[in-house]
């Protein structure tokens, strides 16, 4: 075998095409990348490829200008593009090693780290606009309509779409395609796609055997005649899709089947074994989260079947009735319109809209971490008022109430085995508790309790504890930072109170988080701006639960139990739709007003109904034999009221700064609980969003070997066809 690198490159390309079975496009790319490497390095012998030579080439490559659109400032090659050169070089070196030719080991080629691809989302509304964008009064528009419908229906790759033959059998609702690695898979054609393709083919008058071809005019007809085929290439299809996206008013990068929703890394997600941050859930083996079954209103377990993360600078904060969630603008929530409960992305929501939150999660993790209630009670108190000091080898706590100091001194003695010291604090006219114990100090540090109160959080291990341990911790924290009288707790750490808010939900206690900006006078006399957060327990039911479960040392005042508390259900749009039907039934509106003791039913077309009033109205409607789909929707909203708290949006604002965000695919119930909000299932395809299982979708999109997948999942082509028909475009 020749030892000349140019000859070896030719032999490698032939080997890649014949033995490896790679596509001609892959072979051409390898040829281009390797030729550029050899032209730059001027090396002719395989032994000349060394670490230093490769490093020099990478430095040179990193400084090369990339091709840009006209008018844009020049940029260098992206890291991902540079890696293509290295992948080709590594494959070439592997070939040389296989042929026993001495050269650089392929293991020495290390790819550059690249950020995960940042993918934009396309909403269902935008998708409809995109599919309807082509002007079907001419052949070009018919072609583009058929192309877009087929892409969306099948999830084909663009290269697979371009390779389709003209003689596809449209009588069948499936076809075989040959994708990456020459693997064959079955895809299914929707009725809309079949009709669009048929209309396009009926208008074709050329003889080309490609399904999608150039539409030539008189000016370029001669140029087209010189070509062997009018078949569209990948670049042309991408340009067509991009242009229709622009024409449809969509500024995002449009792909056939990618939809992404992303959560901030600190988002609290309730799982079957505890509360996990999005970041921790992504890195753990935990697979079950708590979901709400929207059919029967029950809290159930849903399975995490896919996880993903990427970096973004596009985040929004949404505050709704005392809860906050941070996510990308494309993260999806549940709201209400005339069709009942529907999904809407944060970017499409406005102040005054209602989104679904969870009332409570009456669910015990039944797990003790071995520390016990006494330890967690003391930890809660220290988290609120304690100062941890390695220099003084202990913990110092200040409190104005000597009874509190004495109570926690006794608790500390039980834990560390010796009496702590109690003394006066002359500077603040309060009392101090000194717990000198290095072992306890280190343990608290290990739990994540920092020195600065602004950055303190609830220890992660508590999120897996039993209800009894959680109650003890909250009692200790309330003794330190809670209020005498009205039940509320204070902190400079917003995340700490959001942690506490999540713990309250586990105990069936709802709370409202508020931000308070104030002026603070320092001891030196200087006045500064300061932000503090307050967590309120507001209604009688929640205050009663708090008083029963959280045995604090402070005096608590609860509301009058006779005050009627009935949460609102935002069904105004449904009532507006139903109202003309009520008017057609003579006397029905008057009967509703009389039996429900309301003066004017029309006012509820603009304001929320209480659950009690809604139940009375439904009873009257059913009693009159009225049958309408809107009444069924109202009944479903009433049924879900036991678990859903409808949150009115108070503020949505953008957040600056780059951070990681996380996607989770939740099987079965398509939702999970995030910072007290009910978030829609996050996933990548129209099919899976509406109920198809992950393995089936992978088969449809060619992301897994079809034979292997069928063996392990027992899913047949017939079953896949049923999945496609059942779920495709269900959400429109």
């Amino acid at each position: 075998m020749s030892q000349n690198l140019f000859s070896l490159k030719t032999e490698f390309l032939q080997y890649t095409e014949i033995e490896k079975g790679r596509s001609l496009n892959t072979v051409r790319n390898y040829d281009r990348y390797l030729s550029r490497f050899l032209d730059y390095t001027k090396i002719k012998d395989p032994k000349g490829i060394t670490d230093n030579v490769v490093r020099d080439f990478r430095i040179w490559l990193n400084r090369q200008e990339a091709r840009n659109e006209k008018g844009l400032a020049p940029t260098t090659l992206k890291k991902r593009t540079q890696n293509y050169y290295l992948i080709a070089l590594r494959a070439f070196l592997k070939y040389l090693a296989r042929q026993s030719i001495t050269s650089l080991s392929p293991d020495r080629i290390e790819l550059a780290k690249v950020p995960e691809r940042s993918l934009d989302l396309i909403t269902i509304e935008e998708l409809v606009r995109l599919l309807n964008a082509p002007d079907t009064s001419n052949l070009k528009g018919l072609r583009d309509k058929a192309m877009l419908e087929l892409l969306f229906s099948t999830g084909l790759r663009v290269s697979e779409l371009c390779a389709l033959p003209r003689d596809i059998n449209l009588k069948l609702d499936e076809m075989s395609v040959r994708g990456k690695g020459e693997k064959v898979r079955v895809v299914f054609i929707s009725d809309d796609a079949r009709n669009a393709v048929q209309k396009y083919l009926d208008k074709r008058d050329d003889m080309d055997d490609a399904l999608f071809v150039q539409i030539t005019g008189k000016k370029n007809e001669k140029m087209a005649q010189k070509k062997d085929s009018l078949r569209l290439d990948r670049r042309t299809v991408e340009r067509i899709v991009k242009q229709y996206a622009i024409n449809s008013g969509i500024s995002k990068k449009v792909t056939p089947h990618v939809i992404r929703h992303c959560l901030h890394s600190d988002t609290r997600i309730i799982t079957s074994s505890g509360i996990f941050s999005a970041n921790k859930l992504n890195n753990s083996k935990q697979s079950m989260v708590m979901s709400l079954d929207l059919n029967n209103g029950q809290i159930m377990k849903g399975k995490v079947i896919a996880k993903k993360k990427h970096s973004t600078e596009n985040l929004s904060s949404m505050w709704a009735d005392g809860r906050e969630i941070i996510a990308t603008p494309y993260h999806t929530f549940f709201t209400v319109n005339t069709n009942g409960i529907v999904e809407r992305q944060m970017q499409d929501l406005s102040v005054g809209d209602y989104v679904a939150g969870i009332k409570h999660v009456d669910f015990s993790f039944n797990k003790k971490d071995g520390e016990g209630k006494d330890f967690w009670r003391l930890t809660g108190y220290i988290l609120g008022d304690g100062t941890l000091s390695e220099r003084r080898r202990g913990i110092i706590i200040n409190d104005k109430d000597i009874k509190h100091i004495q109570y926690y001194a006794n608790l500390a003695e039980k834990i560390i085995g010796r009496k702590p010291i109690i003394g006066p604090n002359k500077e603040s006219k309060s009392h101090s508790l000194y717990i000198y114990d290095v072992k306890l100090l280190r343990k608290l540090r290990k739990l994540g309790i920092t020195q600065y109160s602004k950055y303190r959080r609830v220890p992660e291990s508590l999120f897996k504890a039993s209800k009894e341990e959680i109650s003890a911790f909250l009692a200790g924290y309330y003794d330190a930072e809670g209020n005498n009288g009205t039940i509320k707790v204070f902190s400079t750490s917003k995340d700490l109170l959001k942690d506490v808010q999540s713990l309250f939900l586990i105990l069936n206690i709802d709370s409202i988080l508020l931000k308070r900006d104030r002026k603070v006078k320092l001891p030196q006399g200087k006045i500064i701006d300061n932000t503090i957060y307050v967590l309120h327990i507001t209604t009688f039911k929640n205050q009663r639960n708090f008083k029963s479960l959280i045995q604090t040392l402070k005096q608590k005042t609860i509301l009058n139990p006779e005050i009627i508390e009935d949460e609102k259900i935002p069904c105004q749009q449904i009532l507006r739709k139903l109202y003309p039907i009520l008017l057609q039934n003579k006397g029905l509106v008057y009967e509703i007003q009389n039996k429900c003791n309301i003066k004017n039913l029309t006012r509820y077309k603009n304001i929320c109904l209480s659950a009690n009033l809604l139940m009375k109205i439904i009873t009257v409607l059913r009693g009159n034999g009225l049958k309408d789909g809107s009444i069924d929707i109202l009944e479903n909203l009433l049924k879900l009221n036991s678990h859903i708290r409808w949150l009115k949006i108070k503020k949505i604002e953008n957040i600056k700064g780059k951070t990681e965000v996380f996607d989770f695919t939740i099987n079965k119930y398509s939702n999970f609980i995030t910072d007290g909000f009910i978030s829609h299932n996050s996933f990548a395809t129209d099919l899976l969003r509406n109920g198809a299982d992950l393995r089936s979708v992978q088969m449809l999109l060619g992301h897994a070997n079809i034979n292997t997948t069928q063996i392990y999942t027992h899913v047949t082509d017939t079953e896949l066809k049923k999945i496609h028909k059942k779920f495709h475009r269900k959400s429109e």
Side-chain angles (χ1 to χ4, degrees):
M1 179 179 288
S2 171
Q3 294 291 309
N4 182 278
L5 274 176
F6 288 94
S7 300
L8 289 171
K9 184 197 73 171
T10 302
E11 293 167 6
F12 162 69
L13 296 174
Q14 293 170 350
Y15 165 81
T16 301
E17 179 181 352
I18 305 303
E19 276 81 355
K20 298 291 287 183
R22 298 289 187 257
S23 68
L24 290 177
N25 193 45
T26 299
V27 174
R28 282 194 291 268
N29 285 336
Y30 276 13
D31 186 17
R32 184 170 74 255
Y33 299 144
L34 291 174
S35 295
R36 199 169 188 185
F37 171 75
L38 296 176
D39 288 343
Y40 171 76
T41 60
K42 308 298 183 185
I43 296 174
K44 297 181 180 179
D45 190 286
K47 294 180 181 178
I49 304 177
T50 63
D51 286 328
N52 289 335
V53 168
V54 173
R55 183 170 184 79
D56 288 343
F57 174 69
R58 294 184 69 164
I59 293 172
W60 173 80
L61 196 64
N62 191 57
R63 296 171 182 173
Q64 298 306 298
E65 287 189 2
R67 287 186 297 178
N68 264 338
E69 295 181 19
K70 292 182 179 179
L72 295 179
T75 58
T76 56
L77 287 179
K78 294 181 180 179
K79 296 294 184 184
R80 198 178 301 276
T81 304
Q82 295 177 41
N83 279 345
Y84 294 152
Y85 287 85
L86 302 177
I87 290 169
L89 179 58
R90 189 165 59 184
F92 181 46
L93 293 174
K94 287 181 180 178
Y95 170 76
L96 295 181
R98 190 176 289 108
Q99 302 301 323
S100 300
I101 298 174
T102 303
S103 188
L104 181 68
S105 170
D107 296 335
R108 303 291 295 173
I109 305 295
E110 184 177 352
L111 301 182
K113 290 185 179 181
V114 296
E116 292 193 32
R117 294 182 185 271
S118 180
L119 302 175
D120 284 330
L121 289 84
I122 179 169
T123 66
I124 293 298
E125 293 76 14
E126 290 170 333
L127 178 62
V128 172
R129 295 206 309 269
L130 178 66
L131 295 176
N132 292 332
D135 178 7
T136 55
S137 63
N138 55 65
L139 182 58
K140 182 179 181 299
L142 287 170
R143 178 202 66 186
D144 297 345
K145 171 74 170 175
M147 191 165 62
L148 292 172
E149 288 283 0
L150 201 58
L151 275 171
F152 178 63
S153 168
T154 60
L156 286 170
R157 298 181 178 92
V158 178
S159 58
E160 294 167 347
L161 182 87
C162 296
L164 289 176
R166 181 174 182 168
D167 60 349
I168 62 173
N169 189 351
L170 292 176
K171 293 181 180 179
L172 301 176
D173 50 9
E174 65 182 51
M175 64 179 175
S176 298
V177 295
R178 190 177 299 275
K180 282 187 176 182
E182 294 298 300
K183 294 176 183 177
V184 177
R185 75 181 192 280
V186 176
V187 296
F188 306 109
I189 309 173
S190 67
D191 292 337
D192 288 342
R194 183 187 298 104
N195 294 335
V197 172
Q198 189 62 63
K199 289 179 182 179
Y200 158 60
L201 290 176
D202 289 344
K203 293 292 184 179
R204 287 262 303 264
D205 57 6
D206 62 87
M207 301 298 291
D208 201 285
D209 62 357
L211 178 57
F212 294 109
V213 296
Q214 300 174 36
I215 307 301
T216 58
K218 291 183 179 180
K219 292 184 178 180
N220 55 358
E221 188 173 350
K222 292 183 180 180
M223 184 182 298
Q225 290 174 354
K226 296 179 181 180
K227 296 183 178 181
D228 295 332
S229 174
L230 298 174
R231 185 184 300 275
L232 292 180
D233 58 26
R234 181 168 57 88
R235 298 288 186 190
T236 303
V237 173
E238 289 173 348
R239 283 195 293 269
I240 291 171
V241 174
K242 181 180 179 181
Q243 189 57 51
Y244 279 117
I246 294 172
N247 294 345
S248 304
I250 305 171
S251 59
K252 308 166 187 173
K253 182 180 179 182
V254 177
T255 57
H257 55 262
V258 174
I259 300 177
R260 166 171 279 182
H261 310 309
C262 295
L263 292 166
H264 187 270
S265 61
D266 285 333
T267 304
R268 297 144 194 85
I269 299 171
I270 299 180
T271 76
S272 62
S273 61
I275 300 175
F276 282 58
S277 68
N279 185 20
K280 186 178 178 183
L281 181 60
N282 181 75
N283 296 322
S284 75
K285 294 181 180 179
Q286 173 65 29
S287 62
M288 304 302 292
V289 299
M290 305 314 296
S291 298
L292 178 63
D293 186 340
L294 294 173
N295 292 319
N296 60 31
Q298 298 299 313
I299 298 292
M300 309 294 287
K301 292 181 182 180
K303 188 173 184 179
V304 178
I305 56 176
K307 304 174 182 179
K308 212 167 210 179
K309 70 175 180 178
H310 75 124
S311 297
T312 184
E313 295 180 359
N314 194 12
L315 279 178
S316 295
S317 164
M318 181 169 74
W319 286 85
D321 277 343
R323 297 182 190 178
E324 184 206 28
I325 188 168
I326 298 174
T328 64
Y330 314 115
H331 190 70
T332 305
F333 300 89
F334 292 96
T335 186
V336 178
N337 67 9
T338 55
N339 296 316
I341 295 180
V342 295
E343 312 150 27
R344 284 179 68 186
Q345 293 179 353
M346 192 193 299
Q347 64 178 355
D348 298 322
L349 294 167
S350 303
V351 172
D353 289 340
Y354 287 85
V355 292
I358 202 73
K359 276 188 178 178
H360 59 84
V361 184
D362 192 10
F363 177 79
S364 178
F365 304 129
N366 294 320
K367 181 179 179 181
K368 296 183 179 181
D369 75 340
E371 300 298 347
K373 294 189 294 183
D374 289 345
F375 171 80
W376 282 117
R377 175 104 188 215
L378 179 61
T379 300
Y381 190 61
I382 292 171
L383 184 69
D385 268 347
T387 299
L388 281 66
S389 174
E390 276 75 12
R391 183 177 61 85
R392 300 177 69 174
R393 303 173 67 81
I395 303 107
I396 302 93
I397 307 171
N398 297 307
D399 200 312
K400 292 181 180 179
D401 195 326
I402 187 60
K403 293 181 180 179
H404 291 183
I405 292 293
Q406 291 169 343
Y407 177 88
Y408 284 98
N410 293 332
L411 208 58
E413 183 179 357
K414 289 171 62 177
I415 294 169
I416 66 174
R418 59 179 177 277
K419 286 187 176 182
I421 299 171
I422 297 176
N425 188 322
K426 297 179 181 179
E427 293 182 3
S428 59
K429 296 181 181 180
S430 62
H431 308 278
S432 297
L433 175 64
Y434 303 93
I435 306 173
Y436 295 115
D437 190 89
V438 175
K439 184 178 178 181
L440 178 61
L441 174 65
R442 290 173 178 171
K443 192 171 187 177
L444 293 173
R445 288 294 193 206
K446 192 174 181 180
L447 287 175
I449 299 179
T450 68
Q451 183 66 15
Y452 302 103
S453 58
K454 186 177 180 180
Y455 303 105
R456 288 189 176 181
R457 300 286 301 272
V458 167
E460 282 191 7
S461 55
L462 184 68
F463 287 132
K464 296 181 181 180
S466 66
K467 284 186 175 181
E468 292 75 19
E469 290 171 316
I470 291 172
S471 296
F473 170 85
L474 292 173
Y477 183 71
Y478 195 90
D479 285 339
E481 297 283 27
N483 188 57
N484 274 312
T486 306
I487 304 175
K488 54 186 174 182
V489 62
F490 309 89
S491 179
T492 55
S493 171
K494 178 181 69 173
D495 281 316
L496 174 57
L497 289 190
K498 288 178 72 173
D499 290 342
V500 171
Q501 190 175 44
S502 296
L503 292 175
F504 278 145
L505 283 176
I506 300 299
L507 300 178
N508 196 8
I509 300 171
D510 193 12
S511 57
I512 295 174
L513 179 64
L514 298 176
K515 177 183 177 182
R516 182 190 297 173
D517 293 318
R518 61 179 185 172
K519 300 288 185 181
V520 175
K521 188 174 183 179
L522 299 178
Q524 300 84 356
K526 183 179 179 181
I527 298 177
I528 62 170
D529 293 325
N530 179 261
T531 298
I532 191 171
Y533 296 89
V534 187
L535 194 63
H536 295 260
I537 310 296
T538 55
T539 67
F540 168 73
K541 177 185 174 182
N542 291 301
Q543 290 179 351
R544 181 190 60 194
N545 290 345
F546 180 93
K547 191 171 183 179
S548 172
L549 295 171
I550 315 298
Q551 302 297 315
T552 75
L553 302 177
K554 294 193 172 182
Q555 297 296 319
K556 299 173 289 295
T557 303
I558 63 175
L559 296 173
N560 187 338
E562 295 180 359
I563 296 176
I564 297 175
E565 298 170 3
D566 201 358
E567 293 192 25
K568 307 300 181 182
I569 301 177
C571 50
Q572 302 96 306
Q573 294 185 47
I574 303 169
L575 194 59
R576 284 198 291 268
K577 181 182 178 182
L578 187 62
Y579 199 77
I581 300 173
L582 302 183
L583 293 176
Q584 293 173 11
N585 292 264
K586 190 174 181 180
L588 184 55
V589 172
Y590 174 78
E591 183 180 351
I592 292 172
Q593 293 176 166
N594 185 43
K595 289 186 175 180
C596 298
N597 195 28
I598 55 177
K599 292 182 179 180
N600 192 344
L601 183 61
T602 57
R603 69 190 296 262
Y604 293 100
K605 290 159 57 175
N606 298 310
I607 64 173
C608 292
L609 282 167
S610 69
N612 185 49
L613 179 55
L614 178 58
M615 182 173 61
K616 291 180 180 179
I617 291 174
I618 292 173
T619 301
V620 175
L621 295 177
R622 291 303 191 195
N624 279 268
L626 194 64
K627 295 182 179 180
D628 188 87
S630 295
I631 304 176
D632 296 333
I633 294 172
L634 291 174
E635 286 181 327
N636 186 55
L637 288 174
L638 189 61
K639 180 172 63 177
L640 294 172
N641 187 59
S642 60
H643 281 289
I644 290 182
R645 177 187 166 201
W646 292 102
L647 306 168
K648 189 175 183 179
I649 298 175
K650 305 295 184 180
K651 182 170 64 174
I652 300 177
E653 57 185 357
N654 295 328
I655 297 177
K656 295 181 180 180
K658 189 172 183 179
T659 187
E660 283 187 333
V661 287
F662 298 84
D663 292 336
F664 300 98
T665 306
I666 315 299
N667 198 17
K668 197 170 183 179
Y669 298 108
S670 299
N671 65 75
F672 56 131
I673 301 165
T674 56
D675 280 344
F677 294 82
I678 303 174
S679 289
H680 184 268
N681 176 62
S682 308
F683 195 58
T685 70
D686 177 71
L687 294 171
L688 197 60
R689 287 176 75 244
N690 293 296
D693 63 277
L694 179 63
R695 289 295 185 188
S696 301
V697 174
Q698 285 180 317
M699 291 170 67
L700 289 169
L701 299 179
H703 295 168
N705 181 285
I706 186 169
N707 296 323
T708 304
T709 308
Q710 286 177 329
I711 290 170
Y712 284 98
T713 62
H714 309 289
V715 178
T716 65
D717 291 345
T718 303
E719 290 172 323
L720 279 178
K721 189 189 300 183
K722 291 178 182 177
I723 290 171
H724 186 272
K725 278 188 170 293
K726 181 177 180 181
F727 296 111
H728 190 70
R729 300 184 73 164
K730 175 181 172 184
S731 56
E732 290 186 22

